[in-house]
Amino acid sequence: MKPLKVAVLGCGSVGSQVVRLLDEQAGDLTARVGAPLELVGVAVRRLDAPREVKVPEGLLTTDAEELVTRADLVVEVIGGIEPARSLILRALDHGASVVTANKALLAADGPALYAAADLAARDLFYEAAVAGAIPILRPLRESLAGDRVTRVLGIVNGTTNFILDKMDTAGSGFAEALEEAQELGYAEADPTADVEGFDAAAKAAILASLAFHSRVTVDDVHREGISEVTAADVQSAREMGSVVKLLAIAELRGGEAGEAVAVRVHPAMIPRSHPLASVREAFNAVFVESEAAGELMFYGPGAGGSPTASAVLGDLVTVARNQLAGTRGPGESAYAERPVLPMGETVTRYHVAIDVDDRAGVLAAVANAFADQGVSIQTVKQEGRGLDAQLVVVSHSATDAQLAATVDQLRTMDAVREVTSVMRVEGGVE
Amino acid sequence: MKPLKVAVLGCGSVGSQVVRLLDEQAGDLTARVGAPLELVGVAVRRLDAPREVKVPEGLLTTDAEELVTRADLVVEVIGGIEPARSLILRALDHGASVVTANKALLAADGPALYAAADLAARDLFYEAAVAGAIPILRPLRESLAGDRVTRVLGIVNGTTNFILDKMDTAGSGFAEALEEAQELGYAEADPTADVEGFDAAAKAAILASLAFHSRVTVDDVHREGISEVTAADVQSAREMGSVVKLLAIAELRGGEAGEAVAVRVHPAMIPRSHPLASVREAFNAVFVESEAAGELMFYGPGAGGSPTASAVLGDLVTVARNQLAGTRGPGESAYAERPVLPMGETVTRYHVAIDVDDRAGVLAAVANAFADQGVSIQTVKQEGRGLDAQLVVVSHSATDAQLAATVDQLRTMDAVREVTSVMRVEGGVE
């Protein structure tokens, strides 16, 4: 068979592993695709930069724009918005199928790219964009295509999971755990994208789009990071048999005006008995609830050059097979056109720890604050501490607006000295 | 769009849920496929049997042979070898694509069926045949197509996992735990297929074929069930921080004569820190090790009408889309043609508990028995008990033949009163 020409854009930690595997697995890839995959070029910014892999003589180029015009299959692992977007559009326009790991681009501008793929009748695949090596997009898009997904809960950022895990197991504070993550290479020097939830929010948008067959962009995602999670929060979670995780949550919500999607990233307490609670260190996992299949979980390494390259190459085999067969895989599926719910209308539960005066009537006053906002209480735990007392209240389900208003009201009360911990509670029965 | 005609063969626990979901999800299925899926018939043995679902007037038929000739898509959920095989072949021959959940048939005679699908240029999909709702075959076949899978460890039978979990958590004996499983509907009145590992062996063959791109049938699978697992075995596992699971194991093994596949089903001790150890009750999970992706796990309900129907419908959407596009998905991939290793040459580790005379020289004699067979010892634990002592030996890796010969030799020794527990140890570092 005539070889299919592959261009790789970017030769960093993922790109170099793609190049390595294309070489090492060449025989298997040929057998699985039905034709050889021939690397015709690797686009880089600087020809003389140090690399993890030896790229064959003559294949490195700084002219990515030219390279994509002479490839059948283009792998985009540059990341960021530009020049990645222009190069993908140009590749599709020239009849190439594209595999990308670019979550930021897809979460910001996916629909325009999916439309370009439709127009070109080519594939645009992106399994590696969410949760690294873990096959999650293909299962959502294909395996669960006959089912009705109702909720996706994901630990989709390894850096923050590593930090929260250290805070849980070693009792570290946030700053200390972040420093350890940086020393071990799990966190970057500027950790903002991970720690403040931007990375997870992009993945949440992609997961929500696929799960609910609707357009969801990163701007639709309510986002809170973990930089304000304290050792006290983690301890408080521990005392109620829970653990703090940064969750990407996408849910289908009914309503008078029809179904809507709620999508958010924030730290939350989940019970230790929940399958996601046992996801340790920098691992990722995505927990899916659907009507017929029930509860599924997908677990594995969420980042790293080699795992991400595995996901890229899995997609590459599929799009190569499709191109040989003159067909394409499923494109964007946004037929359901469900609107995205504002965070205030999203239903959740709160865990609130409050330092209060230890005198008669305080519990009643606190309970009234919840009742005033229409929030019912699941449990209250009171601990006396000399003049003070601490109340830990876990609510039943209510809208985030009701719950936030409750916390605001608590803060104005004379008997409340300080609201010491506020965190959402997920992964339980509503 | 012109509807695609769907025939469902069998209306038991899975078939009835397929019929229900085809009706309830009709709108979504149409949008996802690109054409309506029209149920044209449901083949049953008896028209008047009680059913979980109301099948629309006129669609029930006892003439499955006629039904398959007038369908575009055939769902086979009868199970067993015949008439399922003949009906699938007939359906393919008449140009229908087929979705089946029939693990026994595929594990016994898969290659003939895959060849028939190739000849007819139609899809034969079977995600539901292994681990119910858990998407595992599609990830192995497609998501990991650019990677090199080296091992698959699966808990793929819910009945035996439920029984072993009860033995672990409640301290039950096998008979008692089986009885509870039967009362709760997790085990059948005749539990042989589950308890003796026949069901898991069929799934192991399917997993091994896909993971290693080679033909593996159920006859190639070394099979041991759990009926001889004792409360003492489970207790012994607990004492070494492990838990007993029935594992389906498929491994790639190097060797002088080239790579081979080792495939087996047997109870094994795995460390409690292994992700499979936390799979409770009747849940299933498949743990995959591959070179680039590393360790992945797929978790969920492994059986049940509705979860299995979810997997069937996921496949149905794909094969329907393929048929509309005039294409088909990946067929059998057996290009690697790796031979299957006999069990004796399979590498594993043994945990052996022995009651011995409590006198000098016994430990040395036992150690010699291991050394005689070329097996090195990882740990020995000795517990004195009056006149007796108990030795618990965990070996390093060796071939199963060496390990079995060691146990045989131990049994002949004067100082050995009884070998009280022999079990393989998996899921650790070799």
Side-chain angles (χ1 to χ4, degrees):
Chain A
M1 278 298 269
K2 213 177 87 178
L4 290 168
K5 294 178 188 142
V6 179
V8 177
L9 311 182
C11 197
S13 64
V14 179
S16 58
Q17 295 306 310
V18 170
V19 169
R20 177 179 70 82
L21 291 166
L22 278 172
D23 176 44
E24 288 181 11
Q25 314 273 11
D28 283 312
L29 291 169
T30 301
R32 294 173 194 180
V33 168
L37 297 182
E38 182 197 351
L39 183 64
V40 295
V42 181
V44 293
R45 264 188 303 182
R46 284 176 41 206
L47 293 176
D48 60 351
R51 316 202 184 281
E52 289 172 33
V53 70
K54 189 162 163 38
V55 177
E57 198 70 39
L59 292 191
L60 280 179
T61 173
T62 55
D63 193 350
E65 293 207 351
E66 184 274 333
L67 175 60
V68 301
T69 64
R70 54 186 171 89
D72 302 308
L73 310 166
V74 171
V75 172
E76 185 277 303
V77 284
I78 305 171
I81 304 299
E82 283 296 349
R85 173 169 48 194
S86 302
L87 290 168
I88 290 174
L89 291 172
R90 189 175 165 87
L92 291 167
D93 192 42
H94 278 80
S97 301
V98 176
V99 175
T100 176
N102 196 328
K103 60 202 150 262
L105 175 57
L106 293 173
D109 207 18
L113 295 163
Y114 309 140
D118 282 348
L119 192 66
R122 284 292 176 268
D123 281 325
L124 172 60
F125 272 41
Y126 48 96
E127 179 68 71
V130 179
I134 308 172
I136 177 61
L137 303 190
R138 193 186 297 261
L140 274 179
R141 194 179 53 194
E142 302 180 43
S143 307
L144 288 164
D147 204 338
R148 183 179 155 85
V149 175
T150 52
R151 181 182 293 157
V152 179
L153 287 180
I155 294 173
V156 293
N157 180 273
T159 307
T160 47
N161 201 58
F162 181 89
I163 292 170
L164 292 170
D165 188 36
K166 287 298 149 192
M167 292 176 72
D168 180 47
T169 55
S172 318
F174 171 76
E176 190 188 345
L178 170 60
E179 201 175 316
E180 187 177 349
Q182 285 172 322
E183 278 164 14
L184 293 169
Y186 288 124
E188 301 188 32
D190 175 358
T192 311
D194 293 317
V195 161
E196 297 303 343
F198 291 97
D199 173 80
K203 293 164 178 169
I206 294 171
L207 288 169
S209 302
L210 286 168
F212 304 124
H213 301 270
S214 299
R215 287 191 171 167
V216 180
T217 73
V218 71
D219 295 333
D220 297 317
V221 182
H222 174 86
R223 177 191 53 76
E224 298 171 32
I226 65 162
S227 58
E228 287 172 27
V229 175
T230 64
D233 292 331
V234 172
Q235 179 60 26
S236 206
R238 174 181 293 281
E239 282 164 14
M240 55 180 270
S242 293
V243 60
V244 177
K245 295 287 186 190
L246 182 69
L247 296 183
I249 306 176
E251 295 170 298
L252 193 59
R253 284 283 171 191
E256 287 176 19
E259 285 177 340
V261 174
V263 56
R264 51 201 161 109
V265 167
H266 56 67
M269 295 181 181
I270 56 172
R272 283 192 193 265
S273 57
H274 193 284
L276 286 175
S278 57
V279 177
R280 300 286 310 278
E281 306 207 312
F283 280 90
N284 282 15
V286 181
F287 188 79
V288 178
E289 301 174 25
S290 70
E291 281 195 0
E295 300 181 343
L296 303 170
M297 191 169 81
F298 304 79
Y299 165 93
S306 169
T308 308
S310 168
V312 166
L313 283 175
D315 277 354
L316 195 64
V317 168
T318 300
V319 306
R321 285 179 42 88
N322 287 346
Q323 202 168 97
L324 283 180
T327 181
R328 57 192 295 252
E332 185 188 23
S333 174
Y335 69 89
E337 295 184 347
R338 293 173 175 128
V340 177
L341 223 49
M343 187 61 192
E345 294 175 33
T346 297
V347 174
T348 181
R349 296 162 62 209
Y350 270 31
H351 166 282
V352 185
I354 323 163
D355 281 351
V356 294
D357 297 341
D358 191 7
R359 56 178 165 82
V362 171
L363 179 56
V366 166
N368 274 333
F370 282 82
D372 285 350
Q373 304 297 338
V375 177
S376 64
I377 289 173
Q378 187 189 47
T379 59
V380 181
K381 199 177 70 174
Q382 177 159 8
E383 274 177 17
R385 300 191 296 192
L387 289 179
D388 296 338
Q390 189 180 53
L391 287 180
V392 177
V393 184
V394 179
S395 77
H396 277 297
S397 294
T399 67
D400 200 71
Q402 287 175 294
L403 292 160
T406 305
V407 173
D408 287 345
Q409 185 170 336
L410 290 171
R411 287 196 166 113
T412 66
M413 290 167 53
D414 285 345
V416 172
R417 297 192 181 180
E418 194 186 351
V419 176
T420 57
S421 171
V422 178
M423 193 168 288
R424 296 186 186 88
V425 177
E426 299 286 343
V429 181
E430 285 186 7
Chain B
M1 277 298 265
K2 215 178 86 179
L4 290 167
K5 292 178 189 144
V6 179
V8 176
L9 312 182
C11 199
S13 64
V14 179
S16 59
Q17 295 305 309
V18 169
V19 168
R20 176 180 69 84
L21 290 167
L22 279 172
D23 176 43
E24 287 181 13
Q25 314 273 12
D28 283 313
L29 292 168
T30 301
R32 295 172 194 178
V33 168
L37 298 181
E38 182 197 350
L39 183 65
V40 296
V42 180
V44 293
R45 264 188 302 183
R46 282 177 41 207
L47 294 176
D48 59 350
R51 315 203 184 281
E52 289 172 32
V53 70
K54 183 155 171 45
V55 177
E57 198 69 38
L59 293 190
L60 280 179
T61 172
T62 55
D63 192 351
E65 294 207 352
E66 183 274 334
L67 176 59
V68 300
T69 64
R70 53 186 173 90
D72 301 306
L73 310 166
V74 170
V75 172
E76 185 276 302
V77 284
I78 303 171
I81 306 300
E82 285 294 351
R85 173 168 49 193
S86 301
L87 289 169
I88 289 174
L89 291 172
R90 188 175 167 85
L92 291 168
D93 192 43
H94 277 79
S97 299
V98 175
V99 175
T100 176
N102 196 330
K103 60 204 152 262
L105 174 58
L106 293 174
D109 206 17
L113 294 164
Y114 308 141
D118 282 348
L119 191 68
R122 284 291 178 267
D123 282 325
L124 172 60
F125 271 41
Y126 48 95
E127 179 66 73
V130 180
I134 307 173
I136 177 63
L137 304 191
R138 193 187 297 259
L140 274 179
R141 193 178 53 194
E142 302 181 42
S143 307
L144 289 163
D147 204 337
R148 183 177 153 87
V149 175
T150 52
R151 183 182 292 158
V152 179
L153 289 180
I155 295 173
V156 292
N157 180 273
T159 306
T160 47
N161 201 58
F162 181 89
I163 292 170
L164 292 170
D165 188 36
K166 287 297 151 195
M167 292 175 73
D168 179 47
T169 55
S172 319
F174 171 76
E176 191 187 344
L178 171 59
E179 200 174 318
E180 187 178 347
Q182 286 171 321
E183 277 165 16
L184 292 169
Y186 288 124
E188 299 188 34
D190 175 359
T192 311
D194 293 317
V195 161
E196 298 304 343
F198 290 98
D199 174 79
K203 293 164 178 171
I206 294 170
L207 288 169
S209 303
L210 286 169
F212 304 122
H213 301 271
S214 299
R215 286 192 172 166
V216 180
T217 72
V218 71
D219 295 333
D220 297 315
V221 183
H222 174 85
R223 178 191 51 75
E224 299 172 30
I226 65 162
S227 59
E228 286 170 28
V229 175
T230 64
D233 292 331
V234 172
Q235 179 59 25
S236 205
R238 174 181 293 278
E239 282 164 15
M240 54 179 274
S242 294
V243 60
V244 177
K245 295 289 186 188
L246 182 70
L247 296 183
I249 305 175
E251 294 170 299
L252 194 60
R253 284 283 169 192
E256 288 175 21
E259 286 178 340
V261 173
V263 54
R264 51 202 162 107
V265 167
H266 55 67
M269 294 182 183
I270 57 171
R272 282 191 192 265
S273 58
H274 193 284
L276 285 175
S278 57
V279 177
R280 302 286 309 279
E281 305 207 313
F283 280 90
N284 282 17
V286 181
F287 188 79
V288 178
E289 301 174 27
S290 71
E291 281 194 359
E295 300 181 343
L296 303 170
M297 190 169 82
F298 304 79
Y299 165 92
S306 167
T308 307
S310 169
V312 166
L313 283 176
D315 277 353
L316 194 65
V317 169
T318 300
V319 306
R321 285 179 43 89
N322 287 347
Q323 201 169 98
L324 284 180
T327 183
R328 56 193 292 252
E332 184 188 24
S333 175
Y335 69 90
E337 295 183 348
R338 294 174 173 124
V340 176
L341 223 51
M343 186 62 194
E345 294 175 35
T346 296
V347 174
T348 180
R349 295 162 63 210
Y350 270 31
H351 165 283
V352 185
I354 324 164
D355 281 349
V356 293
D357 295 343
D358 192 5
R359 56 181 166 78
V362 171
L363 179 56
V366 166
N368 275 334
F370 281 82
D372 286 350
Q373 303 297 337
V375 177
S376 65
I377 289 173
Q378 187 190 48
T379 59
V380 181
K381 198 178 70 174
Q382 176 157 10
E383 274 177 18
R385 301 192 297 193
L387 290 179
D388 297 340
Q390 189 179 51
L391 287 180
V392 177
V393 184
V394 179
S395 77
H396 276 299
S397 294
T399 66
D400 201 71
Q402 288 174 293
L403 291 160
T406 306
V407 173
D408 287 346
Q409 186 171 334
L410 289 171
R411 286 201 167 108
T412 65
M413 289 167 54
D414 284 346
V416 172
R417 299 195 178 176
E418 193 186 352
V419 177
T420 55
S421 171
V422 178
M423 194 168 289
R424 296 186 185 88
V425 176
E426 299 286 342
V429 182
E430 282 184 5

